Amino acid sequence: MMSRSYTNLLDLASGNFPAMGNQFRERKRLSRVMSVPGIISELDDDQAVSISSDNPSTISTDRMIIVANQLPLKAKRREDNKGWSFSWNEDSLLLQLKDGLPDEMEVLYVGSLRVDIDPAEQDDVSQYLLDKFKCVPTFLPSDVLEKFYDGFCKKQLWPLFHYMLPFTTNESHRFGRSLWEAYVLANKLFFQKVVEIINPEDDYIWVHDYHLMVLPTFIRRRFNRVKMGFFLHSPFPSSEIYRTLPVREEILKALLNSDIIGFHTFDYARHFLSCCSRMLGLEYQSKRGYLGLEYYGRTISIKIMPVGIHMGRIESVMRMADEESKVREIKQKFEGKTILLGVDDMDIFKGINLKILAMEQMLKQHPKWQGRSVLVQIVNPARGKGIHLEEIQAEIQESCSRINRVFGRPGYQPIVFIDRSVSIAEKVAYYSMAECVIVTAVRDGMNLTPYEYIACRQGISGSESSSKASSPKKSMLVVSEFIGCSPSLSGAIRINPWNVEATAEAMNEAISMSEGEKQLRHEKHYRYVSTHDVAYWSRSFLQDMERACTDLLRKRCWGIGLSFGFRVVALDPNFKKLSTDTMVSAYLRARSRAILLDYDGTVMPQNSINKSPSKEVISLLETLCADPKNVVFIVSGRGRASLSQWFTPCKKLGVAAEHGYFLRWSQSEDWEICGKSTDFGWMQIAEPVMKLYTEATDGSSIEKKESALVWQYRDADLGFGSAQAKEMLDHLESVLANEPVAAKSGQFIVEVKPQDVSKGLVAEKIFSSMAEKGTQADFVLCVGDDRSDEDMFEVISSAISRHILSSNASVFACTVGQKPSKAKYYLDDTSEVINMLQSLAEESDSSPSCIEKETGDSSLRQM
């Protein structure tokens, strides 16, 4: 049960926060530009109603709705102070990714603006941006914005996702419930804007970055068949770090409402999958090169694709730099000097001071560079109110002053620190002139600085920076191994930025390398950067999103659960809930019935500590067994001793124990051994192997049955237990290769049992025996809840064609819980199973003469 502090999402989404009030509710809503079939005026989130896809589409062309924290726009107040002037932000990734989308695909943007728009102007601004730019602005109240962005995003998620735990006495850096509530509320406001323009039939939705990680839940809850992807542009931390977040499961489950989740590197994806395994019990699968998570019948694709740069934009800026003579100015300023360049945001994770200290160390270790090399460090303004910014700025300033004081001389400063606003043309000019670019971030999502540098060093024909044929054709990179672009830059010198001495040596190596080597490395990098650009990235993501959504569109979907427990269950179109009325009607018409019931998870709740059956279950089974038309079996993986003891009152109940190795038709009959092998010498081989892994895996144990051995690790560390299970399975298959047994993995178990034993064979034996005795079943009810029961469902599906069931038999194969299954029906839980059995018991006939009158054969009761 979720604690009271984990506020219900529906309450959060309704904006019922005493500290925030309901001021945002009064704002006029933007007119819908496209209607969804049906009436969804105010979208009351207190009703878990989903818009289905049963209505015809009003649009024939797919559209892409891109949702991000900020729109790809620039805004400034007009000089007359009457209104606003807007233009595209050509450097925005969100705008550049359009190049990879089909030309005919319409793209709309939902996000906030960087400027504060007066409430009186918001409607006019919204309509103008929609008409002119196809942008839908989200206006966040100032108190929500501060807690959402500067609070939860920048002081909670940003540090944590960059591996920084809140070990501080400053309470503002610890998790705050009010900040989380503001984060959820802000995501809801973005959701409302999406609803105003969405057509769930045709639109794709692409959500970007950590600001909007719970948005997929809002969208999926309203439109459960919508096509939606999410891409995380920051790192994703290891599970040891992420699990410290108090709302860890809420965010994971929200992300899993996407159809595809993208990451820059495999490391980030691996950490996410590890979190899903450890906290939600989900295991990923790899199929034909694609990674996927099975989640309530849906397969969530995991996409690994680093983003690229926009080559056309770089080239246009290089021409602009030529026109402004920026390259000439820099060349004159640093004549005769070797330029090492750093371009970073002002952030504690960029490792700026580590880079400056490495420069100092290089000058000490290699005095030849004193007076000849310069580190130009450009610092972009901080994004929002990050943590420890003042301290890191003071530290950087102190280091720069000290180094320049020690190594500087008239006309020469080894550190040129630029913390003013630098135009993109000036930045590109520095790229063009730098001999080496250094990135020492201690943790960064992607960092496109190396890519931009490589493109600038390649140059463009006719530009000033390309005047010397060899000059722009070589480049060197010293990059941190902790940034997202590092794996794709195989020619770069990778460093651990915390090792200042090693970084200094790498910087010396980079600028001392031969011209030929520099050119070869540059050519290799440029081939990659020029082909894996932003268009390639977005095109690849859209293709995978289409593939991920295709399977879902073929299934029937239900939205279940409240708060962040909401998820969509996707099932086969023929899979439906078992109708008790329909089944009872078939039950009454039948002349011979077979009822097969699993035990744990079917008539006995899985989480029950006392595993013995209740008096109610015993009574129901006795009533069903008393009907002469019925053959009733408990088919379980449990041992025959416990099953015999528990069901002693049910004299006529059939029992199949240990998945059918032992079978007894009634209490008065002897146990049959259905397995072909009675030699269990293999246990002497398998058990020592299992003991070896049990000793090495804390929390694991061995269950020894008469015909099988089971190693379970439910109470062990799930990650380690899963790894040990895979290793054990390989080990067992190797040592038992010549034995008549099968080693299989299940949910938190590894089991070794005879090859010819399964619940499916039990069902086949029961049906065949009934047919041989002239009482071929024309009614079958089979209920189970786990993987082993799928064998029964599979046999039942082909039983009529194999003539072991009546040709007009009514078959009800039913699984417990809404999940992918070979059964055609489901019931939600064990209580519904009990209620269903109660309905059958009420219609049962306990008269012993009934079946003799109808068939003239009483042999069935002797089975």
Side-chain angles (χ1 to χ4, degrees), residues 249-286:
E249 291 186 10
E250 287 88 330
I251 289 177
L252 284 181
K253 291 176 180 178
L255 290 175
L256 291 174
N257 277 314
S258 305
D259 295 300
I260 179 171
I261 304 171
F263 301 90
H264 286 306
T265 72
F266 176 68
D267 272 351
Y268 304 158
R270 177 169 56 85
H271 294 159
F272 174 77
L273 294 171
S274 176
C275 289
C276 289
S277 173
R278 288 173 175 269
M279 296 164 209
L280 303 179
L282 303 177
E283 296 296 332
Y284 75 91
Q285 297 177 338
S286 178

mmCIF file of all heavy atoms in Angstrom, residues 249-286:
data_model
loop_
_atom_site.group_PDB
_atom_site.id
_atom_site.type_symbol
_atom_site.label_atom_id
_atom_site.label_comp_id
_atom_site.label_asym_id
_atom_site.label_seq_id
_atom_site.Cartn_x
_atom_site.Cartn_y
_atom_site.Cartn_z
ATOM 1 N N GLU A 249 9.898 4.669 -8.144
ATOM 2 C CA GLU A 249 8.991 3.782 -8.872
ATOM 3 C C GLU A 249 7.963 4.572 -9.660
ATOM 4 O O GLU A 249 7.561 4.165 -10.755
ATOM 5 C CB GLU A 249 8.310 2.809 -7.914
ATOM 6 C CG GLU A 249 9.260 1.787 -7.323
ATOM 7 C CD GLU A 249 8.530 0.735 -6.495
ATOM 8 O OE1 GLU A 249 7.284 0.699 -6.538
ATOM 9 O OE2 GLU A 249 9.207 -0.044 -5.803
ATOM 10 N N GLU A 250 7.521 5.697 -9.114
ATOM 11 C CA GLU A 250 6.540 6.516 -9.817
ATOM 12 C C GLU A 250 7.088 6.972 -11.170
ATOM 13 O O GLU A 250 6.381 6.923 -12.186
ATOM 14 C CB GLU A 250 6.162 7.735 -8.968
ATOM 15 C CG GLU A 250 5.290 7.409 -7.773
ATOM 16 C CD GLU A 250 6.083 7.041 -6.523
ATOM 17 O OE1 GLU A 250 7.201 6.497 -6.666
ATOM 18 O OE2 GLU A 250 5.604 7.290 -5.423
ATOM 19 N N ILE A 251 8.345 7.400 -11.196
ATOM 20 C CA ILE A 251 8.937 7.882 -12.442
ATOM 21 C C ILE A 251 9.181 6.729 -13.407
ATOM 22 O O ILE A 251 8.920 6.846 -14.612
ATOM 23 C CB ILE A 251 10.239 8.652 -12.141
ATOM 24 C CG1 ILE A 251 9.899 9.995 -11.469
ATOM 25 C CG2 ILE A 251 11.048 8.881 -13.407
ATOM 26 C CD1 ILE A 251 11.107 10.816 -11.056
ATOM 27 N N LEU A 252 9.665 5.600 -12.911
ATOM 28 C CA LEU A 252 9.879 4.450 -13.789
ATOM 29 C C LEU A 252 8.582 4.018 -14.454
ATOM 30 O O LEU A 252 8.521 3.782 -15.671
ATOM 31 C CB LEU A 252 10.464 3.276 -12.996
ATOM 32 C CG LEU A 252 11.943 3.317 -12.613
ATOM 33 C CD1 LEU A 252 12.310 2.050 -11.864
ATOM 34 C CD2 LEU A 252 12.820 3.489 -13.843
ATOM 35 N N LYS A 253 7.518 3.894 -13.669
ATOM 36 C CA LYS A 253 6.236 3.448 -14.222
ATOM 37 C C LYS A 253 5.672 4.461 -15.208
ATOM 38 O O LYS A 253 5.011 4.080 -16.185
ATOM 39 C CB LYS A 253 5.241 3.183 -13.093
ATOM 40 C CG LYS A 253 5.593 1.969 -12.246
ATOM 41 C CD LYS A 253 4.629 1.791 -11.086
ATOM 42 C CE LYS A 253 4.991 0.572 -10.242
ATOM 43 N NZ LYS A 253 4.077 0.414 -9.072
ATOM 44 N N ALA A 254 5.913 5.736 -14.951
ATOM 45 C CA ALA A 254 5.446 6.762 -15.889
ATOM 46 C C ALA A 254 6.173 6.633 -17.224
ATOM 47 O O ALA A 254 5.551 6.707 -18.291
ATOM 48 C CB ALA A 254 5.646 8.149 -15.299
ATOM 49 N N LEU A 255 7.488 6.432 -17.182
ATOM 50 C CA LEU A 255 8.250 6.272 -18.421
ATOM 51 C C LEU A 255 7.791 5.047 -19.198
ATOM 52 O O LEU A 255 7.778 5.048 -20.437
ATOM 53 C CB LEU A 255 9.740 6.167 -18.115
ATOM 54 C CG LEU A 255 10.438 7.438 -17.621
ATOM 55 C CD1 LEU A 255 11.879 7.144 -17.239
ATOM 56 C CD2 LEU A 255 10.381 8.531 -18.681
ATOM 57 N N LEU A 256 7.398 4.003 -18.495
ATOM 58 C CA LEU A 256 6.975 2.764 -19.152
ATOM 59 C C LEU A 256 5.619 2.887 -19.830
ATOM 60 O O LEU A 256 5.171 1.953 -20.494
ATOM 61 C CB LEU A 256 6.955 1.608 -18.139
ATOM 62 C CG LEU A 256 8.329 1.166 -17.640
ATOM 63 C CD1 LEU A 256 8.202 0.123 -16.538
ATOM 64 C CD2 LEU A 256 9.170 0.618 -18.783
ATOM 65 N N ASN A 257 4.969 4.021 -19.694
ATOM 66 C CA ASN A 257 3.755 4.269 -20.471
ATOM 67 C C ASN A 257 4.078 4.764 -21.871
ATOM 68 O O ASN A 257 3.166 5.004 -22.671
ATOM 69 C CB ASN A 257 2.853 5.271 -19.741
ATOM 70 C CG ASN A 257 1.988 4.601 -18.689
ATOM 71 O OD1 ASN A 257 1.379 3.565 -18.953
ATOM 72 N ND2 ASN A 257 1.937 5.159 -17.497
ATOM 73 N N SER A 258 5.360 4.938 -22.185
ATOM 74 C CA SER A 258 5.784 5.246 -23.551
ATOM 75 C C SER A 258 5.882 3.940 -24.340
ATOM 76 O O SER A 258 5.975 2.849 -23.775
ATOM 77 C CB SER A 258 7.145 5.944 -23.543
ATOM 78 O OG SER A 258 7.133 7.093 -22.724
ATOM 79 N N ASP A 259 5.885 4.061 -25.667
ATOM 80 C CA ASP A 259 6.090 2.889 -26.522
ATOM 81 C C ASP A 259 7.565 2.629 -26.767
ATOM 82 O O ASP A 259 7.965 1.496 -27.009
ATOM 83 C CB ASP A 259 5.384 3.085 -27.867
ATOM 84 C CG ASP A 259 3.875 3.155 -27.732
ATOM 85 O OD1 ASP A 259 3.290 2.175 -27.254
ATOM 86 O OD2 ASP A 259 3.282 4.195 -28.082
ATOM 87 N N ILE A 260 8.353 3.688 -26.724
ATOM 88 C CA ILE A 260 9.795 3.565 -26.938
ATOM 89 C C ILE A 260 10.496 4.600 -26.061
ATOM 90 O O ILE A 260 10.021 5.723 -25.915
ATOM 91 C CB ILE A 260 10.151 3.759 -28.432
ATOM 92 C CG1 ILE A 260 11.658 3.651 -28.664
ATOM 93 C CG2 ILE A 260 9.609 5.084 -28.970
ATOM 94 C CD1 ILE A 260 12.044 3.625 -30.138
ATOM 95 N N ILE A 261 11.603 4.189 -25.446
ATOM 96 C CA ILE A 261 12.377 5.074 -24.569
ATOM 97 C C ILE A 261 13.801 5.119 -25.106
ATOM 98 O O ILE A 261 14.437 4.074 -25.277
ATOM 99 C CB ILE A 261 12.367 4.568 -23.117
ATOM 100 C CG1 ILE A 261 10.928 4.405 -22.617
ATOM 101 C CG2 ILE A 261 13.123 5.524 -22.204
ATOM 102 C CD1 ILE A 261 10.813 3.716 -21.269
ATOM 103 N N GLY A 262 14.282 6.326 -25.388
ATOM 104 C CA GLY A 262 15.587 6.478 -26.006
ATOM 105 C C GLY A 262 16.648 7.008 -25.062
ATOM 106 O O GLY A 262 16.368 7.833 -24.185
ATOM 107 N N PHE A 263 17.887 6.534 -25.270
ATOM 108 C CA PHE A 263 19.045 6.969 -24.490
ATOM 109 C C PHE A 263 20.212 7.205 -25.448
ATOM 110 O O PHE A 263 20.280 6.622 -26.532
ATOM 111 C CB PHE A 263 19.450 5.913 -23.457
ATOM 112 C CG PHE A 263 18.365 5.574 -22.471
ATOM 113 C CD1 PHE A 263 17.467 4.548 -22.728
ATOM 114 C CD2 PHE A 263 18.239 6.285 -21.286
ATOM 115 C CE1 PHE A 263 16.469 4.229 -21.823
ATOM 116 C CE2 PHE A 263 17.239 5.980 -20.380
ATOM 117 C CZ PHE A 263 16.356 4.949 -20.643
ATOM 118 N N HIS A 264 21.168 8.036 -25.020
ATOM 119 C CA HIS A 264 22.334 8.315 -25.847
ATOM 120 C C HIS A 264 23.291 7.141 -25.921
ATOM 121 O O HIS A 264 23.902 6.898 -26.964
ATOM 122 C CB HIS A 264 23.082 9.541 -25.316
ATOM 123 C CG HIS A 264 22.392 10.840 -25.591
ATOM 124 N ND1 HIS A 264 22.004 11.219 -26.853
ATOM 125 C CD2 HIS A 264 22.034 11.864 -24.784
ATOM 126 C CE1 HIS A 264 21.428 12.406 -26.800
ATOM 127 N NE2 HIS A 264 21.441 12.820 -25.563
ATOM 128 N N THR A 265 23.466 6.424 -24.821
ATOM 129 C CA THR A 265 24.467 5.352 -24.779
ATOM 130 C C THR A 265 23.896 4.093 -24.151
ATOM 131 O O THR A 265 22.878 4.121 -23.456
ATOM 132 C CB THR A 265 25.709 5.776 -23.957
ATOM 133 O OG1 THR A 265 25.358 5.816 -22.559
ATOM 134 C CG2 THR A 265 26.224 7.137 -24.387
ATOM 135 N N PHE A 266 24.585 2.988 -24.382
ATOM 136 C CA PHE A 266 24.165 1.725 -23.788
ATOM 137 C C PHE A 266 24.281 1.765 -22.267
ATOM 138 O O PHE A 266 23.484 1.149 -21.561
ATOM 139 C CB PHE A 266 24.996 0.565 -24.346
ATOM 140 C CG PHE A 266 24.667 -0.755 -23.690
ATOM 141 C CD1 PHE A 266 23.440 -1.363 -23.887
ATOM 142 C CD2 PHE A 266 25.579 -1.369 -22.847
ATOM 143 C CE1 PHE A 266 23.125 -2.566 -23.269
ATOM 144 C CE2 PHE A 266 25.283 -2.574 -22.231
ATOM 145 C CZ PHE A 266 24.051 -3.176 -22.443
ATOM 146 N N ASP A 267 25.274 2.483 -21.753
ATOM 147 C CA ASP A 267 25.426 2.592 -20.298
ATOM 148 C C ASP A 267 24.160 3.156 -19.661
ATOM 149 O O ASP A 267 23.676 2.640 -18.652
ATOM 150 C CB ASP A 267 26.610 3.491 -19.949
ATOM 151 C CG ASP A 267 27.908 2.705 -19.862
ATOM 152 O OD1 ASP A 267 27.842 1.464 -19.910
ATOM 153 O OD2 ASP A 267 28.973 3.328 -19.754
ATOM 154 N N TYR A 268 23.625 4.236 -20.236
ATOM 155 C CA TYR A 268 22.418 4.843 -19.678
ATOM 156 C C TYR A 268 21.229 3.889 -19.785
ATOM 157 O O TYR A 268 20.436 3.758 -18.847
ATOM 158 C CB TYR A 268 22.085 6.153 -20.406
ATOM 159 C CG TYR A 268 23.192 7.179 -20.424
ATOM 160 C CD1 TYR A 268 23.238 8.181 -21.387
ATOM 161 C CD2 TYR A 268 24.220 7.154 -19.478
ATOM 162 C CE1 TYR A 268 24.255 9.127 -21.415
ATOM 163 C CE2 TYR A 268 25.239 8.089 -19.496
ATOM 164 C CZ TYR A 268 25.259 9.073 -20.469
ATOM 165 O OH TYR A 268 26.264 10.006 -20.483
ATOM 166 N N ALA A 269 21.114 3.209 -20.932
ATOM 167 C CA ALA A 269 20.029 2.242 -21.113
ATOM 168 C C ALA A 269 20.169 1.073 -20.145
ATOM 169 O O ALA A 269 19.184 0.597 -19.559
ATOM 170 C CB ALA A 269 20.013 1.738 -22.554
ATOM 171 N N ARG A 270 21.416 0.622 -19.966
ATOM 172 C CA ARG A 270 21.659 -0.506 -19.050
ATOM 173 C C ARG A 270 21.272 -0.145 -17.622
ATOM 174 O O ARG A 270 20.684 -0.955 -16.904
ATOM 175 C CB ARG A 270 23.137 -0.902 -19.128
ATOM 176 C CG ARG A 270 23.552 -2.008 -18.189
ATOM 177 C CD ARG A 270 24.956 -2.494 -18.550
ATOM 178 N NE ARG A 270 25.919 -1.415 -18.552
ATOM 179 C CZ ARG A 270 26.565 -0.984 -17.456
ATOM 180 N NH1 ARG A 270 26.307 -1.538 -16.281
ATOM 181 N NH2 ARG A 270 27.450 -0.009 -17.543
ATOM 182 N N HIS A 271 21.573 1.076 -17.216
ATOM 183 C CA HIS A 271 21.191 1.504 -15.873
ATOM 184 C C HIS A 271 19.671 1.556 -15.720
ATOM 185 O O HIS A 271 19.125 1.148 -14.681
ATOM 186 C CB HIS A 271 21.784 2.887 -15.580
ATOM 187 C CG HIS A 271 23.268 2.892 -15.499
ATOM 188 N ND1 HIS A 271 24.031 4.027 -15.657
ATOM 189 C CD2 HIS A 271 24.153 1.883 -15.285
ATOM 190 C CE1 HIS A 271 25.311 3.718 -15.532
ATOM 191 N NE2 HIS A 271 25.402 2.431 -15.312
ATOM 192 N N PHE A 272 18.983 2.048 -16.740
ATOM 193 C CA PHE A 272 17.518 2.086 -16.698
ATOM 194 C C PHE A 272 16.942 0.675 -16.606
ATOM 195 O O PHE A 272 16.037 0.405 -15.798
ATOM 196 C CB PHE A 272 16.989 2.794 -17.944
ATOM 197 C CG PHE A 272 15.492 2.756 -18.078
ATOM 198 C CD1 PHE A 272 14.691 3.592 -17.311
ATOM 199 C CD2 PHE A 272 14.885 1.884 -18.963
ATOM 200 C CE1 PHE A 272 13.305 3.548 -17.419
ATOM 201 C CE2 PHE A 272 13.505 1.833 -19.079
ATOM 202 C CZ PHE A 272 12.713 2.673 -18.311
ATOM 203 N N LEU A 273 17.456 -0.242 -17.404
ATOM 204 C CA LEU A 273 16.960 -1.620 -17.389
ATOM 205 C C LEU A 273 17.247 -2.286 -16.048
ATOM 206 O O LEU A 273 16.430 -3.068 -15.545
ATOM 207 C CB LEU A 273 17.603 -2.415 -18.530
ATOM 208 C CG LEU A 273 17.213 -1.974 -19.944
ATOM 209 C CD1 LEU A 273 18.084 -2.674 -20.984
ATOM 210 C CD2 LEU A 273 15.747 -2.248 -20.208
ATOM 211 N N SER A 274 18.389 -1.967 -15.465
ATOM 212 C CA SER A 274 18.716 -2.506 -14.142
ATOM 213 C C SER A 274 17.736 -2.004 -13.095
ATOM 214 O O SER A 274 17.309 -2.762 -12.216
ATOM 215 C CB SER A 274 20.150 -2.119 -13.768
ATOM 216 O OG SER A 274 20.471 -2.539 -12.459
ATOM 217 N N CYS A 275 17.359 -0.729 -13.177
ATOM 218 C CA CYS A 275 16.378 -0.177 -12.242
ATOM 219 C C CYS A 275 15.028 -0.862 -12.412
ATOM 220 O O CYS A 275 14.345 -1.174 -11.423
ATOM 221 C CB CYS A 275 16.230 1.333 -12.450
ATOM 222 S SG CYS A 275 17.660 2.294 -11.915
ATOM 223 N N CYS A 276 14.621 -1.097 -13.656
ATOM 224 C CA CYS A 276 13.352 -1.781 -13.910
ATOM 225 C C CYS A 276 13.375 -3.202 -13.351
ATOM 226 O O CYS A 276 12.370 -3.699 -12.839
ATOM 227 C CB CYS A 276 13.058 -1.814 -15.411
ATOM 228 S SG CYS A 276 12.625 -0.202 -16.114
ATOM 229 N N SER A 277 14.533 -3.841 -13.433
ATOM 230 C CA SER A 277 14.665 -5.201 -12.915
ATOM 231 C C SER A 277 14.621 -5.220 -11.391
ATOM 232 O O SER A 277 13.882 -5.993 -10.780
ATOM 233 C CB SER A 277 15.968 -5.818 -13.415
ATOM 234 O OG SER A 277 16.215 -7.072 -12.809
ATOM 235 N N ARG A 278 15.402 -4.340 -10.763
ATOM 236 C CA ARG A 278 15.519 -4.352 -9.311
ATOM 237 C C ARG A 278 14.270 -3.828 -8.609
ATOM 238 O O ARG A 278 13.913 -4.302 -7.531
ATOM 239 C CB ARG A 278 16.729 -3.520 -8.879
ATOM 240 C CG ARG A 278 18.067 -4.159 -9.178
ATOM 241 C CD ARG A 278 19.220 -3.221 -8.881
ATOM 242 N NE ARG A 278 20.502 -3.881 -9.061
ATOM 243 C CZ ARG A 278 21.157 -4.528 -8.104
ATOM 244 N NH1 ARG A 278 20.634 -4.609 -6.898
ATOM 245 N NH2 ARG A 278 22.309 -5.088 -8.343
ATOM 246 N N MET A 279 13.605 -2.844 -9.206
ATOM 247 C CA MET A 279 12.498 -2.179 -8.516
ATOM 248 C C MET A 279 11.125 -2.624 -8.998
ATOM 249 O O MET A 279 10.153 -2.542 -8.251
ATOM 250 C CB MET A 279 12.629 -0.659 -8.673
ATOM 251 C CG MET A 279 13.876 -0.119 -8.002
ATOM 252 S SD MET A 279 14.296 1.546 -8.535
ATOM 253 C CE MET A 279 16.064 1.512 -8.336
ATOM 254 N N LEU A 280 11.042 -3.108 -10.230
ATOM 255 C CA LEU A 280 9.746 -3.522 -10.763
ATOM 256 C C LEU A 280 9.711 -4.996 -11.158
ATOM 257 O O LEU A 280 8.657 -5.502 -11.555
ATOM 258 C CB LEU A 280 9.388 -2.661 -11.989
ATOM 259 C CG LEU A 280 9.334 -1.142 -11.781
ATOM 260 C CD1 LEU A 280 8.982 -0.450 -13.087
ATOM 261 C CD2 LEU A 280 8.338 -0.775 -10.688
ATOM 262 N N GLY A 281 10.856 -5.662 -11.068
ATOM 263 C CA GLY A 281 10.887 -7.093 -11.401
ATOM 264 C C GLY A 281 10.765 -7.373 -12.885
ATOM 265 O O GLY A 281 10.373 -8.474 -13.279
ATOM 266 N N LEU A 282 11.115 -6.408 -13.743
ATOM 267 C CA LEU A 282 10.993 -6.575 -15.192
ATOM 268 C C LEU A 282 12.344 -6.960 -15.783
ATOM 269 O O LEU A 282 13.361 -6.375 -15.445
ATOM 270 C CB LEU A 282 10.499 -5.283 -15.849
ATOM 271 C CG LEU A 282 9.168 -4.719 -15.350
ATOM 272 C CD1 LEU A 282 8.858 -3.411 -16.056
ATOM 273 C CD2 LEU A 282 8.041 -5.712 -15.572
ATOM 274 N N GLU A 283 12.344 -7.924 -16.673
ATOM 275 C CA GLU A 283 13.562 -8.345 -17.347
ATOM 276 C C GLU A 283 13.471 -7.988 -18.822
ATOM 277 O O GLU A 283 12.429 -8.150 -19.441
ATOM 278 C CB GLU A 283 13.774 -9.854 -17.189
ATOM 279 C CG GLU A 283 13.996 -10.300 -15.748
ATOM 280 C CD GLU A 283 15.269 -9.735 -15.141
ATOM 281 O OE1 GLU A 283 16.224 -9.458 -15.900
ATOM 282 O OE2 GLU A 283 15.311 -9.566 -13.910
ATOM 283 N N TYR A 284 14.568 -7.488 -19.370
ATOM 284 C CA TYR A 284 14.546 -7.113 -20.780
ATOM 285 C C TYR A 284 14.924 -8.304 -21.648
ATOM 286 O O TYR A 284 15.534 -9.275 -21.200
ATOM 287 C CB TYR A 284 15.489 -5.936 -21.039
ATOM 288 C CG TYR A 284 16.960 -6.274 -21.056
ATOM 289 C CD1 TYR A 284 17.606 -6.633 -22.237
ATOM 290 C CD2 TYR A 284 17.717 -6.211 -19.886
ATOM 291 C CE1 TYR A 284 18.948 -6.931 -22.253
ATOM 292 C CE2 TYR A 284 19.069 -6.506 -19.899
ATOM 293 C CZ TYR A 284 19.683 -6.863 -21.083
ATOM 294 O OH TYR A 284 21.016 -7.167 -21.109
ATOM 295 N N GLN A 285 14.526 -8.217 -22.914
ATOM 296 C CA GLN A 285 14.854 -9.251 -23.884
ATOM 297 C C GLN A 285 15.478 -8.597 -25.107
ATOM 298 O O GLN A 285 15.170 -7.460 -25.446
ATOM 299 C CB GLN A 285 13.594 -10.029 -24.296
ATOM 300 C CG GLN A 285 12.944 -10.792 -23.151
ATOM 301 C CD GLN A 285 11.663 -11.488 -23.590
ATOM 302 O OE1 GLN A 285 11.056 -11.095 -24.578
ATOM 303 N NE2 GLN A 285 11.265 -12.509 -22.858
ATOM 304 N N SER A 286 16.359 -9.323 -25.757
ATOM 305 C CA SER A 286 16.975 -8.850 -26.984
ATOM 306 C C SER A 286 16.531 -9.746 -28.124
ATOM 307 O O SER A 286 16.635 -10.975 -28.040
ATOM 308 C CB SER A 286 18.508 -8.881 -26.865
ATOM 309 O OG SER A 286 19.103 -8.452 -28.071
#
